[in-house]
Amino acid sequence: MAVKPSFPGFTPISDRIFLRNEDSKLGSIAEEKPPVDHPTTIVVYGWGDGTPKNVAKYVDGYHKLFPAARILMVISSTFAASFPSLEQRTEVMLPLVDVVFPTAGDRAEEEKVLFHIMSNTGGIYAAATLNAFQHRHGRHRRLPHHLCVNDSTPGSVVFATEVGRWSRAMALGTAKLFPWPFALTHALWWVFLYAVHLVERARGREASGVYSCRAFLDHGMATPRAPRLYLYSKADDLIWWEDVEMQAEAARGKGYAAVLERFEDSPHVGHMRVHPQRYWGAIERCWRESMAMEGV
């Protein structure tokens, strides 16, 4: 059993899932009743190799917007998003489902959930959460959520055109671990990803990134009542803006409301840092619009 790490201001639910908890007592935030038009639960899925300290800055931002909301933070390495099977990824997300949705039915439907997904790694574990909910409560149920914020995601899922950028992302996340030049680390991860790709094809296993995009376009898993907000940039060298817009158009074609907020100069998962007012303003506006659609 993995050791639960300690992180100031959070209660560890597992080695990858943390609950924002001001009083260091599990459930204290959840016991405060949020305003009727505020989210009750926010889940922030960090980017690949994002540290708790850095991902927590987004949790802080949400706490300022919605101070009574229960906020969970999910962290993962890029490696852990790329290699494990769907069953393994689902197992990792079951503790989150058990905290937010201990039961299905009317009580679960009362939750107002906001997903904040960062980069493709965040998307992979958000999709695993959808699957974990159905694993726990039945395939006929969908995890209730009311807004899905996509920060620097999703990109293209075509392996041949994306392997270079995926391997670069993994190299960036692990560069400090290796003494040799960055180009060698990049090349090694490229070889590793290509080997994993060949193994997945031989097994007939769907790649994690492909599955996550498919899950969030499936009405049986991701409810169409939840609009999508895409925060992305022309300057992002890991997730191209054209791919984000293509994925947004695919979502619209499946009946999902999609709002595009394109930045010109911010780097990958760097939009909040470069344009904080515009960033949080877009999220708050889309949440209000989502609640208006619900008649709240």
Side-chain angles (χ1 to χ4, degrees):
M1 184 176 181
V3 176
K4 296 179 181 179
S6 175
F7 188 66
F10 291 81
T11 298
I13 306 303
S14 72
D15 61 323
R16 301 190 201 179
I17 304 169
F18 302 82
L19 173 67
R20 172 68 181 260
N21 191 336
E22 295 293 319
D23 298 327
S24 299
K25 186 187 298 181
L26 185 62
S28 62
I29 293 298
E31 290 169 3
E32 300 178 22
K33 189 173 182 179
V36 68
D37 60 344
H38 280 204
T40 58
T41 297
I42 299 166
V43 186
V44 178
Y45 295 89
W47 63 94
D49 305 301
T51 65
K53 179 180 178 180
N54 289 329
V55 179
K57 295 174 183 177
Y58 294 82
V59 175
D60 291 341
Y62 274 113
H63 185 67
K64 290 178 182 178
L65 278 182
F66 307 114
R70 170 175 50 186
I71 309 177
L72 293 106
M73 176 176 70
V74 179
I75 61 170
S76 173
S77 67
T78 307
F79 176 86
S82 304
F83 187 69
S85 67
L86 173 60
E87 291 73 20
Q88 291 170 316
R89 302 192 304 270
T90 298
E91 186 72 23
V92 169
M93 289 296 101
L94 284 174
L96 188 152
V97 170
D98 291 339
V99 166
V100 181
F101 300 104
T103 62
D106 294 341
R107 185 173 179 181
E109 291 296 334
E110 291 174 1
E111 288 280 352
K112 296 185 179 70
V113 178
L114 188 158
F115 277 171
H116 188 102
I117 299 169
M118 310 189 73
S119 195
N120 283 351
T121 293
I124 287 166
Y125 277 98
T129 305
L130 299 181
N131 194 56
F133 181 85
Q134 294 191 328
H135 177 83
R136 190 65 91 206
H137 297 301
R139 289 294 166 188
H140 63 292
R141 295 186 181 276
R142 297 176 299 194
L143 188 154
H145 56 290
H146 295 76
L147 178 64
C148 186
V149 178
N150 296 280
D151 183 333
S152 308
T153 190
S156 171
V157 293
V158 179
F159 179 84
T161 60
E162 295 302 302
V163 62
R165 279 180 281 174
W166 294 341
S167 56
R168 182 172 179 270
M170 296 182 79
L172 288 170
T174 57
K176 294 180 180 179
L177 302 177
F178 304 112
W180 49 71
F182 177 82
L184 178 57
T185 305
H186 186 183
L188 290 172
W189 280 122
W190 188 96
V191 171
F192 169 80
L193 287 177
Y194 222 102
V196 170
H197 174 67
L198 293 176
V199 170
E200 286 179 335
R201 289 188 62 183
R203 292 179 175 177
R205 197 170 85 178
E206 188 174 33
S208 56
V210 174
Y211 173 82
S212 65
C213 286
R214 182 173 64 80
F216 272 97
L217 295 177
D218 182 350
H219 289 194
M221 298 188 71
T223 173
R225 73 192 284 187
R228 312 289 175 80
L229 168 62
Y230 296 87
L231 302 163
Y232 62 109
S233 174
K234 279 194 168 184
D236 191 334
D237 61 347
L238 294 179
I239 301 292
W240 289 353
W241 65 272
E242 298 97 331
D243 292 331
V244 174
E245 292 186 356
M246 187 179 300
Q247 294 287 354
E249 192 59 33
R252 285 175 175 152
K254 292 286 187 177
Y256 295 92
V259 178
L260 300 175
E261 190 76 23
R262 189 174 76 190
F263 301 90
E264 299 298 317
D265 57 348
S266 47
H268 188 64
V269 295
H271 323 310
M272 182 194 75
R273 176 172 52 82
V274 179
H275 302 284
Q277 291 184 337
R278 183 180 166 193
Y279 184 92
W280 291 113
I283 291 172
E284 186 173 19
R285 182 179 70 251
C286 284
W287 178 261
R288 303 297 182 195
E289 292 173 355
S290 173
M291 290 297 95
M293 291 170 58
E294 294 285 329
V296 176

